[in-house]
Amino acid sequence: MGIFSRTKEITLNQAINITRTTEGTALVDIRDKETFKKDHVPQAINVPMNNVATIHNRIPDPETTIYIYGDYNTRPSKAVKLFRKEGYKNLVRAGCIEDHHVREYK
């Protein structure tokens, strides 16, 4: 995380563990629906980048801590900006799925 970054960043594996054990958290996959269907972390909620406004339907409480992951084409840093515009404040970048070994969680 850069010194000027306001958004916390952790690994996807850390985010998986936190969201499994901590209430008031959610793991969000920002990739498109088709990619999500092929491979995703089981407890992840799909909120595609091209349809960010649907987050209110999936996570109605803007105080929820949201851990956001994507892939090399859909970076979490872009989603953070869009989620902030939707009123969500507690946002954590959880990296790209390609950088992590998540198959063990399936």
Side-chain angles (χ1 to χ4, degrees):
M1 180 167 63
I3 61 171
F4 298 109
S5 178
R6 294 183 354 208
T7 305
K8 185 176 178 182
E9 185 170 3
I10 64 173
T11 68
L12 180 52
N13 289 336
Q14 289 171 317
I16 291 166
N17 290 329
I18 291 168
T19 56
R20 282 187 171 172
T21 60
T22 308
E23 288 189 39
T25 63
L27 183 63
V28 172
D29 184 323
I30 57 168
R31 299 173 301 150
D32 64 72
K33 192 179 285 190
E34 291 77 29
T35 306
F36 177 81
K37 286 179 183 178
K38 290 178 188 174
D39 183 34
H40 65 274
V41 177
Q43 78 256 31
I45 298 167
N46 186 222
V47 179
M49 286 280 288
N50 64 353
N51 204 3
V52 169
T54 63
I55 192 162
H56 297 289
N57 299 331
R58 307 298 307 274
I59 305 171
D61 182 0
E63 296 300 318
T64 300
T65 300
I66 301 173
Y67 296 86
I68 305 166
Y69 77 92
D71 60 21
Y72 292 142
N73 295 319
T74 51
R75 300 277 182 180
S77 56
K78 293 178 185 177
V80 165
K81 293 175 187 174
L82 296 173
F83 285 22
R84 278 205 177 106
K85 288 181 182 178
E86 294 295 325
Y88 292 83
K89 301 177 203 107
N90 303 318
L91 306 167
V92 181
R93 291 178 297 175
C96 297
I97 197 165
E98 295 95 340
D99 293 336
H100 303 280
H101 301 286
V102 296
R103 300 219 186 275
E104 65 188 87
Y105 292 101
K106 291 190 174 195

